[in-house]
Every structure is written in C-alpha cells, then in structure tokens.
Amino acid sequence: MPKSDFQQFNTSFSHRICDTLDITDDICRKCGYIEIISNYCALIDGCRSIMEYDDSVVKLNLGKSAVTIRGNNLSIKSLSMEQAMVEGFILCIEFSN
C-alpha cells in the first residue's frame, strides 16, 4: 500500500473532509458546533449526552463544555450518536464548562 494511503487512514474522517472542502480546522476539533435557525430550532453537533431536559430547559454535554438552551415548549426532535435537534421558542443559549 502506498505511503499516502497509510496517511489517509491515520487522519480522522472529519479532518479529511475539512481538507477536501478547504474549511478551517475549527470544525474538525472535538468541540461542539451549533447551528441556529431563527429562534425556533438549534442543531447541536458534538452532543455526548443529555444532562437536563424539560419543556423550558435543555442542557447538553459537549465533552469539555455544556450548552443550555432556555425557552418555551422546547423538545428534542432528533437525537443521534453526536447530534441533537432542539425545537421550540428559544430565548437564550448559555455555555458552561
């Protein structure tokens, strides 16, 4: 196997995608990435677990930090291995260690 093929398997999949798409390494780090659509939907990548959940507060563990979403009628619409989608009326988003 050529040396370049070995390098391909030694780098993470997300890092190879960042290189291919020519985007910054910030996205490749193991940290949270949050995309907010208006004040009704938040897509959180890097979610490790749910720390708190009710209709006014959703707190998610992002590894070295946590994110708390506060609002009204909040619900987790989808949850996968490392991603959560929170919908409802979002009032604020807080970050903590």
Side-chain angles (χ1 to χ4, degrees):
M1 193 178 270
K3 187 175 182 177
S4 62
D5 289 342
F6 284 119
Q7 288 175 340
Q8 177 182 1
F9 293 114
N10 289 332
T11 58
S12 70
F13 181 68
S14 61
H15 187 73
R16 284 184 283 164
I17 289 174
C18 289
D19 284 346
T20 303
L21 298 176
D22 195 28
I23 54 179
T24 63
D25 286 337
D26 294 340
I27 296 171
C28 296
R29 290 187 207 154
K30 293 196 178 218
C31 59
Y33 174 81
I34 301 173
E35 188 173 326
I36 302 168
I37 302 168
S38 186
N39 65 334
Y40 63 86
C41 182
L43 182 65
I44 301 97
D45 283 342
C47 176
R48 305 257 173 104
S49 65
I50 299 170
M51 300 170 72
E52 185 178 348
Y53 179 50
D54 64 32
D55 66 344
S56 63
V57 176
V58 176
K59 186 172 184 178
L60 303 170
N61 177 7
L62 301 179
K64 293 183 179 181
S65 63
V67 63
T68 304
I69 300 170
R70 297 186 186 278
N72 298 320
N73 300 321
L74 298 177
S75 63
I76 298 176
K77 288 296 181 183
S78 69
L79 182 65
S80 65
M81 293 295 284
E82 289 201 13
Q83 187 178 71
M85 180 186 289
V86 177
E87 288 186 352
F89 186 75
I90 298 171
L91 295 172
C92 71
I93 298 177
E94 302 169 355
F95 299 92
S96 59
N97 290 334

